[in-house]
Amino acid sequence: PKTAVLTLNPSLALSVLNSMPNVLSSKYNDLVSSLNRYVPLAVVNKFYTQYPQLKEAVAKLPKRTGVNASWNESDPLRLTLLQQTPWLRQAQGMQTRTADMIDLFNPQVVASVKKKELANISKFQNASGAFTWFPGGQDDDYLTLYALNAFAQALAYEADIPQAAAKKAFSYIVPRIEKRLLEDKTGSESAVAYALYAAYTLSAFPQNWAQMSQAKPYIKRWADYADQQSRYMTALGQIYAAAVYHRLGDDVKANRYLDLVLSRMKQNDLTGAYFAPEPQSWVWYRDTLSTQTVTLRTLMELRPQSDKIDPMTQWLLFNRQVNSWSDPKAASQAVFTLLDVMKHKGALSLPVEYTVEWAGDKKSFSFEPFDWTEDLQLVRQGKDITSAALRANIEKKGVLTDFASLSVIYETAEAKASPKGVINVTRQYFTRFTQDGVQKIRPVQDLGEVKVGDEVEVHLTVTTDSAFEYVLLSDPKPAAFESEELLSGWTYNTVRLYRENRDAETNFFINWLPAGTVTLRYVLRPTLEGRFHALPAQAQSMYAPEFGAHTAAEAINVSK
């Protein structure tokens, strides 16, 4: 072993908050841009009023020069330097001009800009109550519902909304939605999605509004319409239906839909509870931060004692570890939900203590609820890595889930494949041949050897239990093998990636790796005869380097 690293990721309030991206001040002054700034500002402003300790605590966070928090440049587990990736700007937090960024970690700035955006939104509303793309434009039904949905999202977190504007828009849109759905006689996926979106949005407004009492029969009719066409519902549609029926007082249907949503979920000890992807999850459904957040909040509302709340919270915390939360609106709502869970469990009032025993050393760490700390890493190298360093014991006094990992970097000529984990990778070699004018492939192990000049197709298959951003897949070439393609660049190989062709290896930098199975293919040609060693292919999350996997080492015989 060369290096052993014990990493502990404390889930404190400030570490969760630090996952949130800042908002960019857009050069566009349209309704959608203004609403997309307003919602995270309104929700975050509510953070600071509902959790007053945060107003002082956020000053402890590292000052940013970009939208996101920077990656840990000195992480000893990372397989390659950040400067050697196409993601240097992302690693530096998406650096931008300070003037273009609205600092969500400055309570005074948040309150001031939120007030400005709130005043700006009123300019997009016509006398009819409808909203428009630009001030003075034509009434737009979609944008009116979009604006109401933004207000509903803010209301869900008890944030301020322009009530007079919302009531006018509410009165305008109800008959418009009713007319559209009455015109749809056969039912369709888009109509069901629209009915659920409208019912979920409008049912979120206060029950004591006069507009709400008038609209309730319509909202129920839209929900029932979707219920009759339930075969078209996605998981998000089902959770919308559960929330709508709960708000309408029909908890029988609400719980039926909630049960359907929960039946779609998988659960394991590491990633928590999440929506089960199919083998190719990008084809039909991508489990998103917003879907998980809406589901968790609906579950907490309908079943506050559910045993799914903790594992769903764990998924949010895990997702925060391995992905960059780039959407301020979705991230602010996820953070607020996590803070609510922390408050419910007492994590915002109780200190957290860790005791770490590793290789004969014992260390203790203690944090108050609003302390700030980076991830904790303990490192051993070379002769200090004894057999005792291959195990660690961590005890925690606290109520929220944390993540810890023990990783070892080692060298061996006879490496075996890594055990099954959250990320898994396999490698297969095939030779290409033509039969009846059709190109086919057969596994190399069935042939026993490869001939000089053969086209050898390499299949690298990555299987994950969770979506990961910024994944490096590195495949060393056997000696005397050359790549068929010489140029590096961005390409689409099942997923979008940057492929880098080097003399000794081929690197695939994958921006987003979906949960499920992805197979990348490329071609090598042997140029000399002999027996050649193929070092393991390795996959690694660049955002969280402790998550990775490798194949076994292999030998390939090449003849003339």
Side-chain angles (χ1 to χ4, degrees):
K2 296 172 61 179
T3 306
V5 182
L6 180 62
T7 305
L8 179 61
N9 313 113
S11 297
L12 302 172
L14 285 186
S15 64
V16 168
L17 194 66
N18 196 46
S19 305
M20 194 166 51
N22 280 317
V23 175
L24 285 174
S25 56
S26 171
K27 61 183 177 182
Y28 301 108
N29 192 28
D30 61 291
L31 174 67
V32 172
S33 298
S34 189
L35 288 169
N36 288 345
R37 290 189 296 268
Y38 155 75
V39 173
L41 286 164
V43 174
V44 173
N45 186 63
K46 189 63 181 179
F47 287 178
Y48 298 130
T49 56
Q50 187 161 330
Y51 304 107
Q53 307 97 312
L54 283 176
K55 277 193 175 182
E56 296 180 7
V58 288
K60 304 173 187 175
L61 291 173
K63 295 302 177 186
R64 294 185 186 178
T65 56
V67 176
N68 299 95
S70 300
W71 300 0
N72 179 5
E73 285 190 47
S74 59
D75 195 316
L77 294 176
R78 196 168 279 119
L79 294 175
T80 188
L81 296 175
L82 293 175
Q83 287 82 351
Q84 295 174 322
T85 76
W87 302 317
L88 184 59
R89 185 164 180 259
Q90 287 91 333
Q92 294 171 338
M94 297 293 287
Q95 291 187 355
T96 187
R97 292 191 317 151
T98 305
D100 294 333
M101 191 168 62
I102 302 168
D103 186 359
L104 293 182
F105 305 107
N106 185 323
Q108 290 73 32
V109 168
V110 169
S112 172
V113 180
K114 186 212 78 168
K115 184 177 179 180
K116 176 184 173 184
E117 290 295 346
L118 206 54
N120 191 48
I121 288 169
S122 64
K123 300 176 184 177
F124 297 93
Q125 190 172 32
N126 288 341
S128 64
F131 279 89
T132 66
W133 189 15
F134 287 101
Q138 293 183 337
D139 291 356
D140 191 300
D141 293 356
Y142 170 75
L143 289 177
T144 303
L145 191 55
Y146 187 91
L148 284 167
N149 184 258
F151 299 152
Q153 289 179 28
L155 273 180
Y157 300 89
E158 302 176 16
D160 297 332
I161 68 164
Q163 286 207 19
K167 288 178 179 179
K168 284 181 67 176
F170 198 110
S171 297
Y172 166 85
I173 200 64
V174 169
R176 309 287 293 184
I177 298 168
E178 179 73 2
K179 180 175 182 293
R180 173 172 170 174
L181 292 176
L182 284 174
E183 290 172 352
D184 190 292
K185 303 296 184 183
T186 58
S188 65
E189 187 174 351
S190 61
V192 168
Y194 184 77
L196 286 170
Y197 180 69
Y200 180 77
T201 295
L202 299 188
S203 64
F205 286 91
Q207 298 296 308
N208 59 2
W209 280 15
Q211 291 82 358
M212 175 59 76
S213 61
Q214 296 167 7
K216 265 191 176 180
Y218 297 106
I219 293 172
K220 185 178 186 307
R221 185 150 61 234
W222 305 337
D224 289 343
Y225 168 84
D227 183 39
Q228 293 163 10
Q229 309 288 339
S230 60
R231 64 187 180 277
Y232 293 121
M233 287 190 197
T234 63
L236 183 59
Q238 289 172 348
I239 202 64
Y240 279 176
V244 170
Y245 277 119
H246 174 68
R247 293 164 184 170
L248 292 173
D250 188 345
D251 280 343
V252 173
K253 280 189 176 179
N255 281 291
R256 176 162 63 84
Y257 275 111
L258 184 57
D259 286 337
L260 282 173
V261 172
L262 297 180
S263 71
R264 287 180 177 235
M265 303 191 86
K266 290 178 68 175
Q267 184 173 334
N268 66 42
D269 291 340
L270 180 59
T271 58
Y274 59 99
F275 289 101
E278 291 184 347
Q280 295 177 317
S281 63
W282 66 92
V283 172
W284 74 282
Y285 175 70
R286 175 174 168 178
D287 52 341
T288 63
L289 185 62
S290 56
T291 301
Q292 186 87 358
T293 303
V294 170
T295 303
L296 178 54
R297 292 196 73 85
T298 304
L299 180 62
M300 291 170 67
E301 187 176 348
L302 268 69
R303 300 177 190 170
Q305 304 305 319
S306 171
D307 60 2
K308 286 286 188 184
I309 291 175
D310 282 353
M312 288 190 70
T313 302
Q314 183 174 325
W315 185 92
L316 285 176
L317 293 168
F318 178 83
N319 188 270
R320 180 184 71 88
Q321 287 290 117
V322 301
N323 292 287
S324 172
W325 287 358
S326 55
D327 180 353
K329 186 161 63 173
S332 62
Q333 293 169 25
V335 169
F336 202 111
T337 299
L338 287 171
L339 289 174
D340 274 354
V341 173
M342 288 179 168
K343 182 180 181 182
H344 177 70
K345 294 171 70 70
L348 296 181
S349 58
L350 299 172
V352 182
E353 297 177 6
Y354 304 93
T355 302
V356 179
E357 295 183 63
W358 186 38
D361 287 345
K362 186 173 182 179
K363 293 180 180 283
S364 296
F365 304 93
S366 180
F367 301 101
E368 292 299 318
F370 290 94
D371 280 349
W372 161 252
T373 180
E374 300 277 5
D375 290 345
L376 306 173
Q377 284 194 323
L378 307 177
V379 180
R380 286 179 175 265
Q381 293 181 317
K383 295 179 181 179
D384 292 334
I385 307 175
T386 62
S387 58
L390 303 181
R391 294 183 64 86
N393 183 62
I394 301 172
E395 293 184 1
K396 175 189 175 182
K397 290 183 180 178
V399 294
L400 210 63
T401 299
D402 287 339
F403 296 93
S405 64
L406 176 55
S407 308
V408 178
I409 301 173
Y410 66 97
E411 290 180 346
T412 176
E414 304 296 333
K416 296 181 180 180
S418 55
K420 187 178 186 307
V422 181
I423 296 182
N424 307 278
V425 61
T426 60
R427 177 178 60 192
Q428 286 182 287
Y429 294 105
F430 299 84
T431 53
R432 288 179 173 178
F433 66 98
T434 302
Q435 186 177 56
D436 300 329
V438 178
Q439 188 181 75
K440 299 183 178 181
I441 60 173
R442 54 189 167 191
V444 165
Q445 59 263 35
D446 290 350
L447 300 177
E449 61 180 23
V450 177
K451 298 185 184 304
V452 172
D454 277 353
E455 290 182 310
V456 178
E457 189 172 299
V458 186
H459 289 198
L460 299 169
T461 300
V462 185
T463 304
T464 63
D465 290 341
S466 170
F468 281 83
E469 286 185 302
Y470 310 122
V471 173
L472 167 62
L473 179 54
S474 181
D475 187 27
K477 297 175 185 175
F481 278 65
E482 297 293 339
S483 177
E484 187 180 60
E485 294 185 27
L486 301 179
L487 296 178
S488 300
W490 289 100
T491 184
Y492 191 89
N493 187 337
T494 307
V495 291
R496 180 165 168 75
L497 55 84
Y498 185 89
R499 175 175 155 174
E500 179 186 51
N501 294 305
R502 292 192 171 195
D503 291 340
E505 63 193 9
T506 305
N507 292 323
F508 300 89
F509 296 95
I510 306 167
N511 276 16
W512 180 75
L513 187 66
T517 300
V518 170
T519 297
L520 306 182
R521 299 170 176 85
Y522 73 106
V523 178
L524 297 174
R525 287 181 184 269
T527 58
L528 297 172
E529 64 176 322
R531 181 176 174 83
F532 301 103
H533 197 68
L535 294 172
Q538 297 187 75
Q540 183 181 53
S541 165
M542 295 293 290
Y543 201 77
E546 63 269 25
F547 294 102
H550 59 79
T551 68
E554 299 171 86
I556 300 179
N557 294 317
V558 180
S559 63
K560 286 188 176 179

